[in-house]
Amino acid sequence: MQKGKASIKFDEEPVIMGAASIVGEKEGEGPLKSCFDRVEPDPMYGQDSWEAAESEFQRQTALKCLEKSGLKESDIRYLFAGDLLGQIVATSFGVQDLEIPVFGLYGACSTMGEAIMLASMTVNAGYADRVMALASSHFASAERQFRFPLAYGNQRPLSTTWTVTGCGSVIVGKDGKESPSAQEEIYAKVTGATAGKIVDMQSRDSMNMGAAMAMAAVDTILQNFRDYEVDQTYYDKIITGDLGSVGQNILFDFMDKAGHDVKGIHMDCGMTIFDSAVQDTHSGGSGCGCSAVTLCGYILPKLRSGEWKRVLFVPTGALLSQISFNEGQNVPGIAHAVMLEHIGA
Amino acid sequence: MQKGKASIKFDEEPVIMGAASIVGEKEGEGPLKSCFDRVEPDPMYGQDSWEAAESEFQRQTALKCLEKSGLKESDIRYLFAGDLLGQIVATSFGVQDLEIPVFGLYGACSTMGEAIMLASMTVNAGYADRVMALASSHFASAERQFRFPLAYGNQRPLSTTWTVTGCGSVIVGKDGKESPSAQEEIYAKVTGATAGKIVDMQSRDSMNMGAAMAMAAVDTILQNFRDYEVDQTYYDKIITGDLGSVGQNILFDFMDKAGHDVKGIHMDCGMTIFDSAVQDTHSGGSGCGCSAVTLCGYILPKLRSGEWKRVLFVPTGALLSQISFNEGQNVPGIAHAVMLEHIGA
């Protein structure tokens, strides 16, 4: 059902019935280390290249997600997936063995939001009983794609973020009402979603992605408030993807100006996954994988337990490529929001 | 409604109520030259780079599509869009001025099929009254992204295809039954669609994309046949995106082996948009823009007039990046199929 200008309300309330996350060693040393299904110590994951390693993170996470849910590949009708690499090759090579029809997505680090929104739209409309949504990133493949050779050992400004190595995967399915036993396994229901538009703050600093994305997050959160006629008190948490500490300050400023003080309920996945003071990650974590693994490992369990009743999950993406940046283009941002609720709420 | 293993039947039958195409000079010298809304003689389209030029093709095509349909930006609820460039930057910079919430897609040259399928799913489910789907490519930005510097003047094997410069855009909306006058403007209805899975033929030749994609087209077409319990006689035309003459032969071989002789009704957009003998385009045209502009300029008008009653439109994509190719990876393929019918059918 259409809600306001850019949102959808899911009358059938699809549920997140499965979730898995696999991360790299650095993520496994951070504050969320006990939350993930697996910490893979080998950054190559047994492969020959970082790109192939990222694909292996995807494949293993998808299989883990199926295993935890007691499902097999053929139980999943469609897959919504993406990553940060050019032509999303981590996805192309990561998910092909699953033999599930796939919709390739690119929303930069907002991809997990885009994927869950489209997955929920698909299930809510009855186009599928179960679909999978996943997103990944890898520190080394992202550095090669967007920045400098690792061996060059460049200095990183304090506004930079550290790309998370990892993949998060969820299974979105029809509500579990008919099967009470299944309900115990259900993490959360998806009650609505707000699609974001591209917001260009005229930022040109690829070493400060938080600033590039903050206004996109503000735009999508305010659109969600308007469409649902609610404010920040409606949510227990508003969780952005990877604004980092620099982007968070900008978010607070603009939300304050719009009359919404979200300081008490805001969380940023990038600021949660690493301990910047100890792990030298500067502004925080980033990458499609950052919000995806934090969702699967940390946010969904809190929704399942009921510690949080209602969360607005807003992964944020910075839209640039090596070429667009070298050609002097701006770095616009985008953010997609998904409304998640405790199943008993 | 789910149909078979991978297809969706649209009970509300969304319609393609608007379409526009803008192409480059070479496309404007080909057999379809009179079909396009505009032939832009400047490959830079007044911009400073080929990438920015491709963005301008997107922006101008979207605006032309709105103008032809008597609609404005705010009449479109969502946009499904993509291109071939890393991080789909042609799209990020092409559509941001429209201020429409956007779902970024990457399906290589199958993107227009993916976009129309998702757009139709969105409208059929009532999530939106009108959405736009578009895809673009640009010969020069694609050569820089995937192959050699143009100034290098490399020889091109006869199996290569020529990336189409252009953008095609459609508006998918609710059926026009309530407004008889609007029906005259409607191009076709979307009755169903089949999502493709990634098919790896172990091809490693980036100069022979037709071979890499042919089996993905076969797989999706046969899935469509099985899901709908039909065969090639159900369609007036089965239209692939950019297999080219080399890929077409492989398609015919495998379809014959599967017991389906499609030679009489098969058309390939890449073989239609250029006259290879005269235009030196070897196997044919390619790129997201190839199937998108051929759909908008050539296929949809024939569906509107009723010359063709029922078409299976199957854009085909080759999944590679410069990095994956340089690392010795295969070139897998993917194809998404959309079922288009004459509005009176």
Side-chain angles (χ1 to χ4, degrees), chain A residues 121-136:
Chain A
M121 286 163 66
T122 299
V123 169
N124 183 69
Y127 299 140
D129 295 340
R130 280 173 300 274
V131 302
M132 185 180 278
L134 68 78
S136 71

Side-chain angles (χ1 to χ4, degrees), chain B residues 2-230:
Chain B
Q2 299 174 31
K3 190 86 179 167
K5 195 172 165 219
S7 300
I8 294 170
K9 182 175 182 301
F10 296 123
D11 299 312
E12 302 295 325
E13 296 189 341
V15 296
I16 295 184
M17 56 189 292
S21 54
I22 300 180
V23 298
E25 191 167 31
K26 190 178 183 83
E27 293 70 24
E29 292 167 350
L32 304 186
K33 57 186 165 189
S34 63
C35 300
F36 306 115
D37 291 299
R38 176 175 174 158
V39 176
E40 170 57 42
D42 174 13
M44 301 293 274
Y45 217 143
Q47 307 300 309
D48 293 332
S49 71
W50 292 318
E51 290 75 19
E54 186 175 343
S55 294
E56 187 66 10
F57 270 94
Q58 281 204 9
R59 201 174 73 85
Q60 294 290 349
T61 306
L63 292 174
K64 172 63 77 177
C65 191
L66 289 170
E67 179 202 318
K68 283 174 70 180
S69 311
L71 296 169
K72 51 191 186 302
E73 289 90 325
S74 57
D75 294 324
I76 307 296
R77 191 171 173 92
Y78 300 122
L79 175 62
F80 294 87
D83 61 83
L84 290 180
L85 303 183
Q87 293 76 41
I88 61 167
V89 285
T91 302
S92 299
F93 295 100
V95 303
Q96 63 175 259
D97 289 352
L98 301 174
E99 301 212 346
I100 302 170
V102 58
F103 294 95
L105 308 179
Y106 187 82
C109 307
S110 76
T111 300
M112 197 60 176
E114 180 182 357
I116 297 177
M117 181 167 181
L118 289 169
S120 303
M121 286 162 67
T122 300
V123 169
N124 182 70
Y127 299 140
D129 295 339
R130 280 173 300 274
V131 302
M132 185 180 279
L134 67 78
S136 71
S137 52
H138 190 296
F139 173 74
S141 66
E143 288 297 305
R144 163 142 68 194
Q145 180 78 161
F146 294 101
R147 297 179 195 94
F148 296 101
L150 288 185
Y152 175 62
N154 68 302
Q155 291 253 349
R156 300 160 53 81
L158 289 173
S159 59
T160 53
T161 48
W162 187 280
T163 305
V164 162
T165 298
C167 177
S169 162
V170 300
I171 296 169
V172 178
K174 292 196 296 188
D175 73 58
K177 277 175 198 150
E178 287 146 34
S179 158
S181 67
Q183 285 213 28
E184 291 160 29
E185 301 303 314
I186 290 172
Y187 286 92
K189 55 188 178 185
V190 187
T191 57
T194 304
K197 57 183 204 281
I198 299 170
V199 177
D200 193 341
M201 292 178 83
Q202 309 286 315
S203 164
R204 296 198 175 194
D205 184 357
S206 77
M207 297 288 182
N208 188 353
M209 310 272 252
M213 298 185 291
M215 200 63 197
V218 169
D219 190 78
T220 300
I221 294 166
L222 292 178
Q223 190 65 52
N224 177 269
F225 287 0
R226 282 194 298 272
D227 287 348
Y228 274 83
E229 298 174 18
V230 299

Side-chain angles (χ1 to χ4, degrees), chain A residues 1-10 49-52 77-78 80 84-89 91-93 95-96 99-107 114 117-118 120-122 124-129 144-146 195-198 200 319-324 327 329-332 334 336, chain B residues 1-10 49-52 77-78 80 84-89 91-93 95-96 99-107 114 117-118 120-122 124-129 144-146 195-198 200 319-324 327 329-332 334 336:
Chain A
M1 196 183 93
Q2 299 174 32
K3 190 86 180 167
K5 196 172 167 217
S7 300
I8 294 170
K9 182 175 183 300
F10 296 123
S49 70
W50 292 318
E51 290 73 20
R77 192 171 172 90
Y78 299 120
F80 294 88
L84 290 181
L85 304 182
Q87 292 75 43
I88 61 167
V89 286
T91 303
S92 300
F93 295 101
V95 303
Q96 63 175 259
E99 301 213 345
I100 302 170
V102 58
F103 295 95
L105 308 179
Y106 187 81
E114 181 181 358
M117 181 169 182
L118 288 169
S120 303
M121 286 163 66
T122 299
N124 183 69
Y127 299 140
D129 295 340
R144 164 141 68 195
Q145 180 77 161
F146 293 101
K197 56 183 205 282
I198 299 170
D200 193 341
L319 302 169
L320 81 164
S321 76
Q322 204 176 35
I323 290 175
S324 74
E327 288 177 349
Q329 290 270 27
N330 300 334
V331 182
I334 192 165
H336 299 292
Chain B
M1 196 183 93
Q2 299 174 31
K3 190 86 179 167
K5 195 172 165 219
S7 300
I8 294 170
K9 182 175 182 301
F10 296 123
S49 71
W50 292 318
E51 290 75 19
R77 191 171 173 92
Y78 300 122
F80 294 87
L84 290 180
L85 303 183
Q87 293 76 41
I88 61 167
V89 285
T91 302
S92 299
F93 295 100
V95 303
Q96 63 175 259
E99 301 212 346
I100 302 170
V102 58
F103 294 95
L105 308 179
Y106 187 82
E114 180 182 357
M117 181 167 181
L118 289 169
S120 303
M121 286 162 67
T122 300
N124 182 70
Y127 299 140
D129 295 339
R144 163 142 68 194
Q145 180 78 161
F146 294 101
K197 57 183 204 281
I198 299 170
D200 193 341
L319 301 170
L320 80 163
S321 76
Q322 204 176 34
I323 290 174
S324 74
E327 288 177 349
Q329 290 270 27
N330 300 334
V331 182
I334 192 165
H336 298 291

Side-chain angles (χ1 to χ4, degrees), chain A residues 14-29:
Chain A
V15 297
I16 295 184
M17 55 189 292
S21 54
I22 300 181
V23 299
E25 191 167 30
K26 190 178 183 83
E27 293 70 24
E29 292 166 351

Side-chain angles (χ1 to χ4, degrees), chain A residues 23-27 42-44 49-51 53-54 57 84-85 90 136-151 153-156 160-167 207 274 279-282 284-290:
Chain A
V23 299
E25 191 167 30
K26 190 178 183 83
E27 293 70 24
D42 174 13
M44 301 293 274
S49 70
W50 292 318
E51 290 73 20
E54 186 175 343
F57 270 94
L84 290 181
L85 304 182
S136 71
S137 52
H138 190 296
F139 174 73
S141 66
E143 288 297 304
R144 164 141 68 195
Q145 180 77 161
F146 293 101
R147 297 179 195 94
F148 296 100
L150 288 185
N154 67 300
Q155 291 253 350
R156 301 162 51 82
T160 52
T161 48
W162 186 281
T163 305
V164 163
T165 299
C167 177
M207 297 290 183
F274 293 126
Q279 294 188 283
D280 196 31
T281 49
H282 299 348
S286 61
C288 302
C290 177

